[in-house]
Amino acid sequence: MALIQHRFDALRTHLATLETGEHNGRITVSPKNTEEVAALTRYASEQKLTIEILGAGTKREMGHAADADILLYMTKLAGVVAHSWQDLTATVSAGTPWVTMQRALAQHHQYVALDPLWPETATVGGIIATNDSGALRLKYGSLRDLIIGMTIVLADGTIAKSGGKVVKNVAGYDLHKLMTGAFGTLGVITEVNFRLHPLPAETRIWTATSSAAEPLGDLMMMVLDSQLSTQAMQLRAHINGYALDVQLATLPEVLTLQGERLNDLAQHASSKTNGTFEVSQTSDPKVFTAREDLFTEAGVVIKATMLPSSIALLSSEAVQLGGTAVTQATGIMFARFNEDTAAAAISALQASIRATGDGSLTVLRSAHTAGSPWGDIAADPLTREIKRQFDPHHILNPGRFLGGI
Amino acid sequence: MLNSAVLNELRAALGPDGPSLPSGLITATNQLQTYECDGLTNMRALPSAVVLPRTAEQVQAIVRICDQHRIPFVARGAGTGLSGGALPAQGGIVISFARMNRILEIDIPNQRVVVEPGVVNAHVTDAVAAHGYFYAPDPSSQTVCTIGGNVAENAGGAHCLKYGFTTTHVLAMDVVLPNGELVTFGSSAPDAPGYDLTGVFVGSEGTLGVATKITLRIVKRPETVQVLLAAFDSTTAAAQSVSDIIAAGMLPAALEMMDRLSARASEAAVHPNYPVCEALLLVELDGPEAEVKAQMAEATDLCRKNGAWEVRLAQTAQERGLIWKGRKAAFAAMGRISPNYIVQDGVIPRTALPEVLTAMSRMAAEVQLRIANVFHAGDGNLHPMVLYDQAIPGQEEIALDLSYRILYLCVDHGGSITGEHGVGKEKQQAMGYMFSEPDLDTMQLVRRAFDPHNLANPDKLFPRTRLCGEKPGPYTPHPLETAGVAEFF
Ligand SMILES: Cc1cc2nc3c(=O)[nH]c(=O)nc-3n(C[C@H](O)[C@H](O)[C@H](O)COP(=O)(O)OP(=O)(O)OC[C@H]3O[C@@H](n4cnc5c(N)ncnc54)[C@H](O)[C@@H]3O)c2cc1C
């Protein structure tokens, strides 16, 4: 305690202008701009103090817990810095809640075409650090395709920019791609440049339900192979049955035509497999928050990735293993298992993913950390060397990432 | 020159030759000359050897030898790069991928294709076209350039406005690191845990290692494609139409613009029957038929509203092809109106287009040179071609200077020094204009992690004095120079 107090006093003296506090024996700092973040990391680096970077904390359970001296709150770095709506680009501070940003951009009928978890609270920076993405990824790609530039603060206080404010740009290394999904272990993201998309003129959702996964999997593959204007698609798997949600986005008059075409495909899929199912239009736009709903009940939540052609098989397997799953047509599954059966389910699912070819499994939430959240994935020498170059003293989110990075 | 012991090691790494297996090692000066430059022909350097491996293991063995003897190497695809990316380091080795050109796997249901790096871009589409798919990134050089070169440059093309650049279409790859280790980045399934090394490698211009296998994403062909050609009295009016089309919420498959000079040159070269005008706009929309029809009507109205006096909708696939042929021939056609030219590759925010074009004409007039312009107008990527005559003493220098000042102009307007051709050797110094010292230092951290001995395509991409291991400030020779392995020129 005395040590903490001593460090705390020293930090306050040294960084007098920074807003600081204390939380559970840790020093908290809430910088208001990039320069303040840099002042903090420079100081921490010199003093060998470790830092946990926090947005809204919605995904703090993901990855290993970072046990750090300082809690760096990013939420004061908030707001849309610039919206060049005619260029379809925007610059946003990393602590901005996702919806706050989207509301601002919607004034010009634009948005960042990504549907992350908990958009009401989750911050831009946290979403990027964990490389989150939802069902919209099918049409618009992941953050790698939507981020065009970034400002980052390194562990030693260096402020660096990469990319720029134009969509097309191949000058220099794309540091922003390295930061995306790095769980804050390489630098602190303070500002982000996004490419934007116009909000679609109209979207409609159809849902097909069946007692078996396979016919819906067939339909999903047919839709992927079709020329329909699909913007999002997911397969929901539950002990009570399966549902395939297809969201189309185009002009209203075209949607009606495409709805008919989707019905034809559904007829075809159901006749082929004799696993009949129903297709109907849904008015509930909430169906695509199904993966978020997985987190509302207790249990272990995992993320598994796979090729689209394996989705139906692995979905039914998840159910057989006692789980509930939501899988985006890009091949990203979120599944929840009861705590007592989770360990067995995870190793069975891991084996099946391996058997189907390509993919991975990580644990997003686990009450009793049984094993590593990163599963059996280790860090290769190059990954370790990148970390060493960027953060030689391991002060940023220490231990959070795979391989204990 | 490499000594005979090293040459023997390279020969052994490449395996035995045979009657049907021509030698994979080139050392004869006249043959080496083929490799002394890429598409940027005014910069040349003779390599000491060229190797043509057939397998990843051979690549690995070669790179190990380079690592061991600290010999710089550069990968080479088709050599169409326009920034000197494949220019050898003096005395270094060229690893040509001409013999690693197999398509290894096609998975239509999962929309993936696995290729060796020497596969020609257009051959990927050829291989999947029968299934109704295509490989979206389409550089104008697509009938010759390779996927390896595309990956290194993060190549773009007219259709990247809608479909994304190379980076959007690369899922995974095998890479031989500069220390000779063979590693896999990414995976066929999304979100391989770990840092996004695929994302970092794409566009790194051969400076982080050598790709030996690449997994690509392919895209379903759209139901309909329509192309519209609109003639304007000014580039400003055409640029306004571009902004209006985007503002209306459309995402065209392509939005290309040509000015009077470049349209004239294309007309002379391939006779696409272009109207004679100050600015030509080419709008391609694709997607569901009903959507394309409705949007094309709107785009036509917007062009007319901005003063287009001729708006022509291609009626047949042949007419469409001809319109595109003229556009794709633009660079090559320049020879018809000027003895020499320099192509640049700046990017600006779309909205700055009129202002930048005006400034550019003024700058050209000041030094009494002409600039022809073709651009990917939809994403603000300009390809100004500075026309000059090498035979006139001093004119080349003036033209070069103008072309760099145009890049600075782009940066001043919030843009970039390169949209698709890469920095390479050509734009090293301009990097220092676009990025600050800390930005470049941070990029060097990546470089150092991948290539601590600075062997993979050295002395490219970063401003001259900012080589790995060098301190900023006045010029000091790099260790490679002092060791006599490499020389700057
Ligand atoms: C007429 C013409 C039109 C063009 N139009 C366009 C265009 O529209 N869009 C566009 O983006 N570009 C365009 N280019 C530029 C050029 O075609 C592209 O940069 C292309 O990607 C280069 O491919 P390449 O196979 O010729 O590569 P090369 O020129 O051989 O090499 C380019 C770079 O890639 C590296 N490299 C090659 N293979 C590998 C590998 N396996 N692993 C690691 N690094 C590797 C090289 O070291 C070098 O740095 C054009 C060029 C010409 C001549």
Side-chain angles (χ1 to χ4, degrees), chain B residues 375-423:
Chain B
F375 23 85
H376 307 299
D379 38 35
N381 186 193
L382 315 176
H383 288 318
M385 289 172 280
V386 180
L387 313 182
Y388 70 97
D389 187 351
Q390 215 168 26
I392 301 174
Q395 203 171 62
E396 184 166 68
E397 287 69 36
I398 295 171
L400 266 172
D401 177 64
L402 175 61
S403 81
Y404 288 123
R405 283 191 289 126
I406 290 171
L407 295 185
Y408 300 157
L409 177 73
C410 292
V411 175
D412 293 343
H413 280 84
S416 167
I417 57 170
T418 174
E420 51 185 27
H421 296 169
V423 177

Side-chain angles (χ1 to χ4, degrees), chain B residues 169-221:
Chain B
H169 299 89
V170 178
L171 298 165
M173 54 185 144
D174 283 1
V175 170
V176 174
L177 297 175
N179 65 4
E181 201 189 331
L182 180 64
V183 293
T184 300
F185 296 159
S187 64
S188 233
D191 291 353
Y195 297 140
D196 182 10
L197 301 181
T198 312
V200 176
F201 193 91
V202 176
S204 62
E205 305 193 17
T207 62
L208 300 181
V210 179
T212 56
K213 187 166 100 179
I214 300 143
T215 305
L216 302 170
R217 202 168 65 85
I218 48 169
V219 180
K220 186 76 181 177
R221 277 234 175 269

Side-chain angles (χ1 to χ4, degrees), chain B residues 133-350:
Chain B
Y133 284 82
F134 69 113
Y135 177 61
D138 60 338
S140 305
S141 51
Q142 71 185 134
T143 53
V144 275
C145 68
T146 66
I147 296 299
N150 293 172
V151 164
E153 302 291 354
N154 190 12
H159 290 87
C160 291
L161 175 62
K162 176 166 183 174
Y163 293 101
F165 313 101
T166 300
T167 179
T168 301
H169 299 89
V170 178
L171 298 165
M173 54 185 144
D174 283 1
V175 170
V176 174
L177 297 175
N179 65 4
E181 201 189 331
L182 180 64
V183 293
T184 300
F185 296 159
S187 64
S188 233
D191 291 353
Y195 297 140
D196 182 10
L197 301 181
T198 312
V200 176
F201 193 91
V202 176
S204 62
E205 305 193 17
T207 62
L208 300 181
V210 179
T212 56
K213 187 166 100 179
I214 300 143
T215 305
L216 302 170
R217 202 168 65 85
I218 48 169
V219 180
K220 186 76 181 177
R221 277 234 175 269
E223 192 178 300
T224 324
V225 183
Q226 287 195 0
V227 179
L228 175 103
L229 193 69
F232 294 85
D233 280 334
S234 74
T235 45
T236 309
Q240 190 55 49
S241 308
V242 170
S243 289
D244 290 352
I245 288 169
I246 300 275
M250 286 179 241
L251 184 56
L255 256 179
E256 300 283 304
M257 204 159 129
M258 296 170 83
D259 70 0
R260 172 187 279 275
L261 262 182
S262 51
R264 203 180 88 201
S266 289
E267 187 61 42
V270 296
H271 317 297
N273 192 21
Y274 285 159
V276 177
C277 60
E278 285 307 313
L280 261 186
L281 190 64
L282 195 159
V283 185
E284 180 171 303
L285 293 172
D286 69 10
E289 196 170 336
E291 181 188 289
V292 170
K293 258 199 185 140
Q295 293 194 335
M296 200 42 111
E298 198 180 351
T300 307
D301 286 348
L302 291 171
C303 288
R304 287 202 196 286
K305 195 196 86 196
N306 284 305
W309 46 264
E310 182 171 342
V311 182
R312 209 190 278 169
L313 187 65
Q315 297 300 327
T316 61
Q318 200 192 353
E319 278 183 35
R320 232 172 34 229
L322 195 61
I323 290 179
W324 270 114
K325 192 174 172 192
R327 164 62 186 84
K328 296 210 169 183
F331 292 172
M334 259 331 117
R336 301 202 170 237
I337 58 168
S338 174
N340 307 95
Y341 64 94
I342 296 163
V343 186
Q344 266 311 354
D345 179 38
V347 189
I348 50 169
R350 237 179 337 252

Side-chain angles (χ1 to χ4, degrees), chain A residues 123-207:
Chain A
T123 63
V124 168
I127 288 164
I128 296 171
T130 52
N131 189 24
D132 192 14
S133 64
L136 279 179
R137 177 164 173 172
L138 184 64
K139 175 166 181 186
Y140 296 101
S142 64
L143 284 163
R144 194 210 277 181
D145 306 298
L146 300 171
I147 295 173
I148 55 175
M150 206 180 261
T151 305
I152 53 176
V153 174
L154 302 189
D156 67 358
T158 301
I159 298 172
K161 285 183 195 252
S162 78
K165 292 189 172 160
V166 284
V167 170
K168 199 170 184 182
N169 177 11
V170 297
Y173 296 147
D174 286 345
L175 299 173
H176 42 286
K177 288 179 184 144
L178 197 54
M179 296 299 139
T180 304
F183 277 76
T185 56
L186 296 178
V188 186
I189 302 164
T190 61
E191 221 170 78
V192 185
N193 303 337
F194 285 108
R195 82 171 284 190
L196 308 177
H197 285 86
L199 283 162
E202 194 171 322
T203 63
R204 277 179 219 167
I205 300 169
W206 282 263
T207 296

